[in-house]
Amino acid sequence: MLPPVSEPVVAVAQVKEGDRVLDWRGFDAATNRVGNALLAAGLAPGERVAVLAGSSMEMLLVLFGCGKAGLSVVPLNISITDAAVAGMLDDCGARAIVASGAHCARIDGLLATGRLPAGLLRIAIAAPATPAWRDFDAFLAGADPTRPPVRVSGAGECNIIYSSGTTALPKGIVHSQRCRAYWGMDMALA
């Protein structure tokens, strides 16, 4: 027999940086805000959002929030060259980018040289906000915490993961929502 519990048990969804904790209900609301904010900014289901950021709670929220809004997320390795960043963003046709710290400056440099489209929506995680970049927290302020009004299909695009390019130019590998759901189930079973 289990001992009585004096406080409700809360299942932790993800812990980052010690004191930053989200339970599953908070994670659900936060990812809904991300999806709704991106849709409110003019992105449409099926469009692509690149992420150039180190591991953080915000990055995780973007990855899952995009899925809830039917957007395809394109996580980029932070150690790739600027030329590779420009090539991958061009190849995938990203409409928005979420970047952290010095990676915002990398994107600004690529935009200044004309290597990226000028209309790219830019969202900054833990970086100085400039007029060209929307601060992540400010971007989500006021966003609806309920599920985005989008029907996500199993055949819909979930994400694009780029190969390392060791044998040629990096190639984007497209994963469907169904593929990622099966992957998640496999990981849970393992």
Side-chain angles (χ1 to χ4, degrees):
M1 175 184 253
L2 294 174
V5 177
S6 59
E7 294 181 22
V9 176
V10 177
V12 174
Q14 196 264 348
V15 179
K16 182 67 182 160
E17 300 159 353
D19 62 341
R20 296 176 65 193
V21 178
L22 279 179
D23 63 20
W24 285 107
R25 183 172 288 131
F27 182 77
D28 184 49
T31 53
N32 288 339
R33 281 187 189 94
V34 170
N36 283 318
L38 289 166
L39 294 171
L43 276 75
E47 292 187 309
R48 296 165 178 164
V49 177
V51 179
L52 186 62
S55 295
S56 67
M57 187 177 293
E58 293 83 2
M59 182 192 72
L60 186 64
L61 296 176
V62 170
L63 296 178
F64 283 84
C66 283
K68 287 183 167 190
L71 299 163
S72 180
V73 68
V74 185
L76 301 176
N77 185 324
I78 59 173
S79 66
I80 61 176
T81 66
D82 288 352
V85 168
M88 291 174 189
L89 290 176
D90 179 56
D91 179 65
C92 76
R95 288 258 339 242
I97 185 157
V98 179
S100 63
H103 303 296
C104 294
R106 292 176 71 187
I107 297 301
D108 287 340
L110 291 168
L111 283 159
T113 61
R115 296 168 74 183
L116 295 178
L120 195 63
L121 171 63
R122 293 175 267 171
I123 304 163
I125 298 172
T130 67
W133 287 88
R134 309 231 357 227
D135 174 73
F136 183 81
D137 292 328
F139 182 70
L140 297 186
D144 189 349
T146 62
R147 182 167 287 283
V150 173
R151 183 172 168 84
V152 178
S153 154
E157 190 175 294
C158 178
N159 63 8
I160 300 175
I161 306 294
Y162 277 88
S163 68
S164 64
T166 54
T167 58
L169 294 174
K171 293 170 185 63
I173 299 107
V174 178
H175 296 113
S176 69
Q177 293 285 348
R178 182 177 295 110
C179 167
R180 280 302 184 195
Y182 289 158
W183 178 80
M185 286 188 286
D186 284 346
M187 293 296 103
L189 290 171

